[in-house]
Amino acid sequence: MKFKEQVAIAFVCLIVSFMISLHFKSVKHNKEVSVPQNLRAESLYAELTKEKEKNEELYKQILTLQSDLEMYRKEATDSSGYAKVLSEQMSRLEILAGATPVQGQGVIVTLDDSKAKIETSSILESEQYIIHDDDIRKVVNELYAAGAEAISINDDRLISTSSIRCVGPVVIINNNKYAPPIEIKAIGDADTLEAALTMRDGVRDLLVNIYRIDVTIRKEKNIVIPAYNGVVNFKYASPVNSKGE
Amino acid sequence: MIILIAIVIGILCGLLTDFNIPPQYTQYMAVAILAALDSIFGGLVGSLQKNFKLDVFISGLVTNSIFAAFLTYIGNKLEVDIYMAAVVAFGTRLFQNFATIRRFLLNKFNKRGII
């Protein structure tokens, strides 16, 4: 073998071995990079479980703190007149804020997806016949307008920061997911509330006649609405100084 | 001897380079490696049979690599695995050349009476 030939072949060998080792390294590296992406869903799920556990823990904490608060209040009411006024004011505010369970007369409205057979093949049209956030909002809005003092949806208390919205096939209320049937409890003057919903061309007529949703309205002597079981943190809102600025 | 040293240096350079081929280009790299391997074996056979030509060797290396990569590119665009053509062609040639080298070496040793 001539020297010239050897050098030429050696040169190409150098290039090829360089390419091969680089290629090996890259393939290995790329595999390592792509594996975390597959693991991503798994790790997210683990994180979710952890968060759920934490949530549970915090909920327990709320319960103990609430009982503590109850104890303090009892002590305070026993001690002085001023404290009594304060605690009365506080219990009113608690009803308003949804921090305490309330009971009284009212109505229970149940909404369910249409059971009637709808002769349409279009998905777009048939979607109109299932319960949407908007249907629930209409009912809730009407109830508040008629003087409802406390409203819960599937035993989830509506408070001043509650939202009602659709996500996929479920409705999310206070960050909890609910599927039909939706049960709306409202405390207020039962006759007024019922009349507000059943008035001609009102909410019930709209839901039943146009959207074919099953609506049942029941008057009750005594409805219990549970307290809001979440936590509200005010990060941005703070009271305006009473002296005025 | 020079060839072995070159291979070792090449592998070391490849491992020490702090650069990775993006995943979408590894296919091109693989085909190019195959083309270059084919050229090396072709060159070895040529030099053993005493009809090695430098210009043929170098031009074959360059054009084969480029053409193989080009075929891969076209195949990717057409969603047909045209690079298989390069793999089969170069693979067949590799084995043929390898067989030629084996026969050549066997003949050489037979003449010397080693085997």
Side-chain angles (χ1 to χ4, degrees), chain A residues 5 10 16-18 21 23 25-26, chain B residues 6-7 10 14 17 21 26 36 47 52:
Chain A
E5 295 171 10
V16 168
S17 55
F18 172 75
S21 55
H23 193 249
K25 199 167 63 104
S26 304
Chain B
I7 289 174
T17 315
I21 305 161
T26 48
S47 68
F52 180 86

